[in-house]
Amino acid sequence: KPQHDETAWQHANGEMHAYERFLVPDLDAQGVLRGCTSVWLDVTSRKEAENRIHRLNRVYAVLSNINAALVRTKNLRDLADEACRIAVEYGGFGVAWIGLLDPATGRINSLSWAGEDAQVFAAMEDTTPAPIGERAGLLTQCIREKRPVVNNDISAQTLPDGSRRQRAVALGYQSVIMLPLLVNGAVSGLFGMIAREKNFFTEEEVRLLTDLSGDVAF
């Protein structure tokens, strides 16, 4: 009987393409199999569109649920806990984190963590920003530039031994975003999330998450 399946091939240029295969038996008048016809369709564009919609739906779910939490939650720590939980549960992020900036020391003090590997990263915590002029990580860059900072392929660079990013790569994470929590134009904290998908944070996702960080800061 006819068969249908899906597969993926890597082309010579290194790109992965998704295919649908349709296998149709060729029967003679007596119903004896003479052969098969195989048809392959490149469905890469369709799969990419489906994945994009799926990711956007996840981000919309995070935005909606955190905005609902803002209405019912008054305590700062409870709100941070709820925001991180929602990011993990509804957004599918592996780990979510919120920290507050101490302007006197320049140190980010963790307020909340959520996710299956949250304790791994919390145990490695070293959130003192590097002085201006030194090579900056995402956290420091986010504070200095007061804008979202994204790395959509954290495995594509040499990472120092023992770094949090190196541990994230080892655990299968590929994309990270740091969002500044701005109050009266100044960074009061950060909201960070990491995802297992490479190139997760497109312009659309970043725009939505920027709106989210503004709501949380408010």
Side-chain angles (χ1 to χ4, degrees):
K1 63 181 181 179
Q3 302 289 322
H4 167 253
D5 59 18
E6 296 183 359
T7 188
W9 284 350
Q10 185 174 25
H11 286 203
N13 62 3
E15 293 181 354
M16 293 297 296
H17 281 244
Y19 289 90
E20 279 188 332
R21 183 183 66 161
F22 298 88
L23 193 63
V24 181
D26 180 16
L27 306 177
D28 64 17
Q30 287 72 44
V32 178
L33 181 66
R34 295 184 300 193
C36 292
T37 299
S38 181
V39 178
W40 295 78
L41 297 177
D42 189 330
V43 294
T44 305
S45 295
R46 192 191 77 198
K47 289 293 185 182
E48 289 175 347
E50 290 173 352
N51 288 336
R52 173 177 163 272
I53 291 171
H54 176 65
R55 291 199 309 267
L56 282 173
N57 284 339
R58 284 165 48 181
V59 176
Y60 275 119
V62 171
L63 189 62
S64 174
N65 281 277
I66 288 182
N67 281 335
L70 289 170
V71 175
R72 66 175 183 269
T73 308
K74 303 302 180 183
N75 178 273
L76 179 60
R77 183 172 294 277
D78 289 345
L79 173 60
D81 289 343
E82 187 72 353
C84 289
R85 182 193 66 79
I86 289 169
V88 170
E89 182 175 337
Y90 290 89
F93 296 105
V95 174
W97 163 82
I98 290 179
L100 297 181
L101 174 64
D102 182 344
T105 64
R107 179 177 175 82
I108 296 290
N109 298 306
S110 289
L111 188 61
S112 182
W113 289 88
E116 60 179 323
D117 296 310
Q119 294 306 313
V120 175
F121 293 103
M124 300 177 67
E125 187 161 18
D126 179 11
T127 52
T128 305
I132 298 297
E134 291 190 8
R135 183 174 180 178
L138 295 184
L139 186 150
T140 306
Q141 185 181 354
C142 185
I143 294 172
R144 295 193 305 187
E145 299 181 9
K146 300 180 181 180
R147 65 173 181 85
V149 179
V150 172
N151 186 332
N152 271 319
D153 186 4
I154 61 176
S155 64
Q157 64 187 96
T158 301
L159 302 173
D161 291 341
S163 74
R164 191 179 296 172
R165 249 188 290 179
Q166 184 189 55
R167 179 59 61 86
V169 171
L171 291 171
Y173 297 104
Q174 302 191 72
S175 299
V176 59
I177 188 169
M178 283 291 173
L179 299 157
L181 301 178
L182 299 173
V183 177
N184 297 323
V187 177
S188 63
L190 294 172
F191 194 172
M193 286 163 274
I194 57 176
R196 295 191 182 277
E197 299 96 324
K198 186 182 293 185
N199 299 317
F200 180 90
F201 298 104
T202 66
E203 184 177 341
E204 291 170 291
E205 279 88 13
V206 172
R207 185 174 65 252
L208 289 171
L209 290 170
T210 300
D211 291 342
L212 170 64
S213 67
D215 292 343
V216 172
F218 175 79

